[in-house]
Amino acid sequence: DRRRVKALNNNLVGIFVFERSDETLIKQALKGKKSTWVALVKRYEKCVYNYALRMVSNPDDALDLMQEVFVAVYRNLSSFRGDSQFKSWLLKIAHYRCIEFYRKKRPTQSLDEAPDQEDESAITCPESVAALGQQAKQLNEAINTLPVNQKLVVELKFYQHCTFEDIAYQLGISTNTAKSRLYSALDKLKGQLELEHA
């Protein structure tokens, strides 16, 4: 039927028009095509905003950080070599901006308030944290109590769905350190959430 054919055509057009690769958008943006830069920002603004919001826990600060991140990305777009995914490179910039935010806001606070836990026997898997059945608000509150370096790894692993290799690249640490920080964070989260419901 004609309506089905029209719907199918519209879907195909949507795929080809709107699903341009990051690399294509970047190349066109570097040539001065503003609409492709806007498309790139729209593709990732929610991701960057949510990342910033979970890191700084304040909508206004998160919005400021998001704008700073995209200004930095725009200025440095020509330096993106494609060695990693664009999203990884973008989140690496967001990470640095969040660290700068913490340094300005809390100059006396250590970025890693607790030592990393190297003992692999204390690993708590994400499923066990989810199995605690806590509401998202309580979980976010618990995440906000973590040291910044552990909070970053939790954000990247569970909210941005990054691999340990991506996390290591973005934070400039080894994959083992990324794993250790995640396991320490999950252990703390489990303990805190269990304490709240004891």
Side-chain angles (χ1 to χ4, degrees), residues 94-106:
H95 159 69
Y96 286 124
R97 293 292 170 182
C98 287
I99 293 298
E100 283 175 15
F101 171 86
Y102 273 97
R103 286 194 174 125
K104 285 177 192 168
K105 288 277 187 181
R106 301 167 187 165

PDB file of all heavy atoms in Angstrom, residues 94-106:
ATOM      1  N   ALA A  94      35.419  16.909  28.616  1.00  0.00           N
ATOM      2  CA  ALA A  94      34.447  17.132  29.695  1.00  0.00           C
ATOM      3  C   ALA A  94      35.050  16.764  31.045  1.00  0.00           C
ATOM      4  O   ALA A  94      34.844  17.463  32.045  1.00  0.00           O
ATOM      5  CB  ALA A  94      33.180  16.307  29.432  1.00  0.00           C
ATOM      6  N   HIS A  95      35.820  15.686  31.075  1.00  0.00           N
ATOM      7  CA  HIS A  95      36.493  15.261  32.310  1.00  0.00           C
ATOM      8  C   HIS A  95      37.413  16.358  32.813  1.00  0.00           C
ATOM      9  O   HIS A  95      37.385  16.722  33.993  1.00  0.00           O
ATOM     10  CB  HIS A  95      37.278  13.975  32.048  1.00  0.00           C
ATOM     11  CG  HIS A  95      38.364  13.703  33.037  1.00  0.00           C
ATOM     12  ND1 HIS A  95      38.097  13.375  34.348  1.00  0.00           N
ATOM     13  CD2 HIS A  95      39.711  13.738  32.925  1.00  0.00           C
ATOM     14  CE1 HIS A  95      39.244  13.211  34.998  1.00  0.00           C
ATOM     15  NE2 HIS A  95      40.233  13.430  34.147  1.00  0.00           N
ATOM     16  N   TYR A  96      38.243  16.902  31.936  1.00  0.00           N
ATOM     17  CA  TYR A  96      39.175  17.961  32.353  1.00  0.00           C
ATOM     18  C   TYR A  96      38.434  19.194  32.855  1.00  0.00           C
ATOM     19  O   TYR A  96      38.856  19.825  33.828  1.00  0.00           O
ATOM     20  CB  TYR A  96      40.123  18.330  31.207  1.00  0.00           C
ATOM     21  CG  TYR A  96      41.177  17.290  30.953  1.00  0.00           C
ATOM     22  CD1 TYR A  96      41.330  16.715  29.693  1.00  0.00           C
ATOM     23  CD2 TYR A  96      42.015  16.838  31.977  1.00  0.00           C
ATOM     24  CE1 TYR A  96      42.292  15.741  29.459  1.00  0.00           C
ATOM     25  CE2 TYR A  96      42.971  15.866  31.744  1.00  0.00           C
ATOM     26  CZ  TYR A  96      43.112  15.321  30.487  1.00  0.00           C
ATOM     27  OH  TYR A  96      44.055  14.359  30.268  1.00  0.00           O
ATOM     28  N   ARG A  97      37.342  19.528  32.203  1.00  0.00           N
ATOM     29  CA  ARG A  97      36.561  20.694  32.648  1.00  0.00           C
ATOM     30  C   ARG A  97      35.948  20.463  34.027  1.00  0.00           C
ATOM     31  O   ARG A  97      35.882  21.370  34.847  1.00  0.00           O
ATOM     32  CB  ARG A  97      35.458  21.012  31.626  1.00  0.00           C
ATOM     33  CG  ARG A  97      35.988  21.502  30.302  1.00  0.00           C
ATOM     34  CD  ARG A  97      36.628  22.864  30.412  1.00  0.00           C
ATOM     35  NE  ARG A  97      37.337  23.208  29.204  1.00  0.00           N
ATOM     36  CZ  ARG A  97      38.029  24.313  29.028  1.00  0.00           C
ATOM     37  NH1 ARG A  97      38.121  25.179  30.002  1.00  0.00           N
ATOM     38  NH2 ARG A  97      38.656  24.563  27.903  1.00  0.00           N
ATOM     39  N   CYS A  98      35.484  19.227  34.280  1.00  0.00           N
ATOM     40  CA  CYS A  98      34.931  18.902  35.608  1.00  0.00           C
ATOM     41  C   CYS A  98      36.008  18.968  36.683  1.00  0.00           C
ATOM     42  O   CYS A  98      35.767  19.472  37.780  1.00  0.00           O
ATOM     43  CB  CYS A  98      34.280  17.510  35.596  1.00  0.00           C
ATOM     44  SG  CYS A  98      32.709  17.462  34.712  1.00  0.00           S
ATOM     45  N   ILE A  99      37.196  18.475  36.365  1.00  0.00           N
ATOM     46  CA  ILE A  99      38.304  18.537  37.323  1.00  0.00           C
ATOM     47  C   ILE A  99      38.656  19.997  37.627  1.00  0.00           C
ATOM     48  O   ILE A  99      38.860  20.375  38.782  1.00  0.00           O
ATOM     49  CB  ILE A  99      39.539  17.776  36.786  1.00  0.00           C
ATOM     50  CG1 ILE A  99      39.252  16.270  36.716  1.00  0.00           C
ATOM     51  CG2 ILE A  99      40.780  18.043  37.632  1.00  0.00           C
ATOM     52  CD1 ILE A  99      38.943  15.594  38.027  1.00  0.00           C
ATOM     53  N   GLU A 100      38.697  20.832  36.581  1.00  0.00           N
ATOM     54  CA  GLU A 100      38.954  22.263  36.781  1.00  0.00           C
ATOM     55  C   GLU A 100      37.889  22.885  37.664  1.00  0.00           C
ATOM     56  O   GLU A 100      38.184  23.708  38.537  1.00  0.00           O
ATOM     57  CB  GLU A 100      38.975  22.995  35.431  1.00  0.00           C
ATOM     58  CG  GLU A 100      40.251  22.798  34.651  1.00  0.00           C
ATOM     59  CD  GLU A 100      40.175  23.433  33.263  1.00  0.00           C
ATOM     60  OE1 GLU A 100      39.266  24.261  33.013  1.00  0.00           O
ATOM     61  OE2 GLU A 100      41.031  23.095  32.429  1.00  0.00           O
ATOM     62  N   PHE A 101      36.629  22.495  37.446  1.00  0.00           N
ATOM     63  CA  PHE A 101      35.522  22.997  38.255  1.00  0.00           C
ATOM     64  C   PHE A 101      35.749  22.659  39.730  1.00  0.00           C
ATOM     65  O   PHE A 101      35.607  23.521  40.600  1.00  0.00           O
ATOM     66  CB  PHE A 101      34.203  22.382  37.773  1.00  0.00           C
ATOM     67  CG  PHE A 101      33.025  22.667  38.672  1.00  0.00           C
ATOM     68  CD1 PHE A 101      32.293  23.832  38.512  1.00  0.00           C
ATOM     69  CD2 PHE A 101      32.671  21.782  39.679  1.00  0.00           C
ATOM     70  CE1 PHE A 101      31.210  24.103  39.345  1.00  0.00           C
ATOM     71  CE2 PHE A 101      31.589  22.044  40.515  1.00  0.00           C
ATOM     72  CZ  PHE A 101      30.859  23.209  40.344  1.00  0.00           C
ATOM     73  N   TYR A 102      36.104  21.403  40.020  1.00  0.00           N
ATOM     74  CA  TYR A 102      36.342  20.995  41.404  1.00  0.00           C
ATOM     75  C   TYR A 102      37.517  21.747  42.017  1.00  0.00           C
ATOM     76  O   TYR A 102      37.481  22.121  43.183  1.00  0.00           O
ATOM     77  CB  TYR A 102      36.582  19.479  41.494  1.00  0.00           C
ATOM     78  CG  TYR A 102      35.298  18.708  41.634  1.00  0.00           C
ATOM     79  CD1 TYR A 102      34.682  18.142  40.524  1.00  0.00           C
ATOM     80  CD2 TYR A 102      34.686  18.546  42.870  1.00  0.00           C
ATOM     81  CE1 TYR A 102      33.492  17.446  40.632  1.00  0.00           C
ATOM     82  CE2 TYR A 102      33.491  17.846  42.997  1.00  0.00           C
ATOM     83  CZ  TYR A 102      32.901  17.302  41.871  1.00  0.00           C
ATOM     84  OH  TYR A 102      31.724  16.627  41.993  1.00  0.00           O
ATOM     85  N   ARG A 103      38.557  21.971  41.239  1.00  0.00           N
ATOM     86  CA  ARG A 103      39.727  22.682  41.757  1.00  0.00           C
ATOM     87  C   ARG A 103      39.393  24.125  42.100  1.00  0.00           C
ATOM     88  O   ARG A 103      39.891  24.672  43.076  1.00  0.00           O
ATOM     89  CB  ARG A 103      40.866  22.619  40.740  1.00  0.00           C
ATOM     90  CG  ARG A 103      41.504  21.243  40.696  1.00  0.00           C
ATOM     91  CD  ARG A 103      42.830  21.247  39.965  1.00  0.00           C
ATOM     92  NE  ARG A 103      43.450  19.929  40.081  1.00  0.00           N
ATOM     93  CZ  ARG A 103      43.852  19.186  39.070  1.00  0.00           C
ATOM     94  NH1 ARG A 103      43.727  19.630  37.838  1.00  0.00           N
ATOM     95  NH2 ARG A 103      44.395  18.008  39.277  1.00  0.00           N
ATOM     96  N   LYS A 104      38.540  24.757  41.271  1.00  0.00           N
ATOM     97  CA  LYS A 104      38.151  26.150  41.533  1.00  0.00           C
ATOM     98  C   LYS A 104      37.208  26.255  42.718  1.00  0.00           C
ATOM     99  O   LYS A 104      37.327  27.139  43.545  1.00  0.00           O
ATOM    100  CB  LYS A 104      37.471  26.741  40.291  1.00  0.00           C
ATOM    101  CG  LYS A 104      38.428  27.071  39.168  1.00  0.00           C
ATOM    102  CD  LYS A 104      37.646  27.574  37.963  1.00  0.00           C
ATOM    103  CE  LYS A 104      38.525  27.631  36.737  1.00  0.00           C
ATOM    104  NZ  LYS A 104      37.762  27.846  35.502  1.00  0.00           N
ATOM    105  N   LYS A 105      36.239  25.334  42.765  1.00  0.00           N
ATOM    106  CA  LYS A 105      35.213  25.382  43.814  1.00  0.00           C
ATOM    107  C   LYS A 105      35.743  24.933  45.173  1.00  0.00           C
ATOM    108  O   LYS A 105      35.365  25.455  46.201  1.00  0.00           O
ATOM    109  CB  LYS A 105      34.019  24.498  43.433  1.00  0.00           C
ATOM    110  CG  LYS A 105      33.180  25.053  42.319  1.00  0.00           C
ATOM    111  CD  LYS A 105      32.187  26.057  42.845  1.00  0.00           C
ATOM    112  CE  LYS A 105      31.235  26.492  41.739  1.00  0.00           C
ATOM    113  NZ  LYS A 105      30.270  27.477  42.199  1.00  0.00           N
ATOM    114  N   ARG A 106      36.585  23.901  45.146  1.00  0.00           N
ATOM    115  CA  ARG A 106      37.068  23.312  46.408  1.00  0.00           C
ATOM    116  C   ARG A 106      38.573  23.136  46.348  1.00  0.00           C
ATOM    117  O   ARG A 106      39.071  22.023  46.205  1.00  0.00           O
ATOM    118  CB  ARG A 106      36.395  21.960  46.636  1.00  0.00           C
ATOM    119  CG  ARG A 106      34.882  22.075  46.696  1.00  0.00           C
ATOM    120  CD  ARG A 106      34.243  20.713  46.595  1.00  0.00           C
ATOM    121  NE  ARG A 106      32.803  20.848  46.478  1.00  0.00           N
ATOM    122  CZ  ARG A 106      31.988  19.903  46.092  1.00  0.00           C
ATOM    123  NH1 ARG A 106      32.469  18.732  45.767  1.00  0.00           N
ATOM    124  NH2 ARG A 106      30.700  20.098  46.016  1.00  0.00           N
TER     125      ARG A 106
END
